[in-house]
C-alpha cells in the first residue's frame, strides 16, 4: 500500500521537489532518521542495504582541509544493540573490511561512521551482511513474483521495488537500468532518481 501511495503521488505531483518526495517516502515506509552531520558523504555500503560478501569496501567523499578521518565500525546479531568492533585512523577515503576477521559467518547487522579526526558528531549508516544462501533465497523470491507478471516493464518495476525493500540495492539498481533500457520514459527516470537519492547513490 505504501508503495502504491508513493507511486500515485509521484505520478500526480510532477512539480514537487524530488528530494522532498524521497524523504516523505522514507518516513512513510518507516525509514530511520539519520541524526548528526552527514558530511563527509557516506557512499558505500548504501544506508539500509544488504551486502552478500564477506569483504566490503567502505567509501566516502573527501572533506575540504581534512587530512585524516576516523572510521568506526559497529556490529552484532541484534540490530538494536550493536557493539563497537573497530576504530581506525584513515588518510584515504575508503576502508576495506573483511568481516570474517570479526568472526562473522552468519547474517549480522552493522553500522559505520566516518568523520574528521577528533570530531565524532556524525551519523552512522546501518546495513546488513547476509550469507550467499540467504541472498539467493531473497533473489529467488523476488524473481518468482516478477515472473508471474506478463508485462515485462511491470515485471522489472516489481523487481526494482522489491529488491530495494529487501535491501538488495545492487539488484534493484540493475532492475532499474534494465527498465530504462526497455523504456526510457520520464516516470521511470524519476523513479530511478528517487531510488538513487534514497540510497545515497546520487552525488
Amino acid at each position: 500500500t505504501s508503495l502504491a501511495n508513493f507511486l500515485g503521488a509521484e505520478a500526480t505531483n510532477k512539480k514537487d521537489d524530488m528530494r522532498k518526495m524521497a524523504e516523505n517516502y522514507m518516513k512513510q515506509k518507516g525509514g530511520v532518521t539519520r541524526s548528526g552531520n552527514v558530511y563527509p558523504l557516506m557512499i558505500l555500503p548504501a544506508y539500509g542495504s544488504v551486502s552478500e560478501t564477506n569483504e566490503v569496501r567502505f567509501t566516502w567523499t573527501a572533506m575540504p582541509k581534512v587530512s585524516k578521518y576516523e572510521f568506526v565500525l559497529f556490529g552484532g546479531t541484534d540490530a538494536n544493540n550493536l557493539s563497537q568492533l573497530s576504530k581506525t585512523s584513515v588518510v584515504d577515503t575508503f576502508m576495506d573490511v573483511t568481516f570474517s576477521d570479526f568472526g562473522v559467518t552468519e547474517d549480522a547487522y552493522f553500522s559505520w561512521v566516518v568523520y574528521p579526526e577528533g570530531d565524532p558528531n556524525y551519523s552512522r549508516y546501518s546495513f546488513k551482511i547476509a550469507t550467499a544462501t540467504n541472498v539467493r533465497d531473497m533473489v529467488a523470491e523476488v524473481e518468482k513474483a516478477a515472473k508471474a507478471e506478463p508485462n515485462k516493464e511491470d515485471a522489472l518495476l516489481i523487481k526494482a521495488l522489491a529488491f530495494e525493500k529487501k535491501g538488495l540495492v545492487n539488484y534493484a539498481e540493475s532492475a532499474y537500468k534494465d527498465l530504462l533500457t526497455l523504456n526510457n520514459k520520464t516516470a521511470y527516470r524519476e523513479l530511478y532518481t528517487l531510488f538513487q537519492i534514497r540510497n545515497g547513490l546520487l552525488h
Side-chain angles (χ1 to χ4, degrees), residues 26 46 60 95 127 147 156 197:
M26 287 295 290
W60 57 92
M95 168 64 73
F127 66 102
K147 192 174 181 180
L156 286 170
I197 293 171

Side-chain angles (χ1 to χ4, degrees), residues 70-76 81-88 102 110-111 113 115 124:
E70 286 182 344
F71 171 89
V72 189
L73 180 67
F74 305 82
N81 187 26
L82 302 181
S83 57
Q84 183 172 315
L85 300 177
S86 66
K87 185 176 182 180
T88 313
F102 298 103
F110 297 90
S111 65
V113 62
Y115 49 81
R124 297 185 197 178

Side-chain angles (χ1 to χ4, degrees), residues 45-65:
Y47 180 80
S49 64
V50 174
S51 178
E52 61 182 294
T53 179
N54 178 53
E55 296 182 1
V56 173
R57 169 163 286 191
F58 295 80
T59 59
W60 57 92
T61 56
M63 197 169 183
K65 300 180 181 180

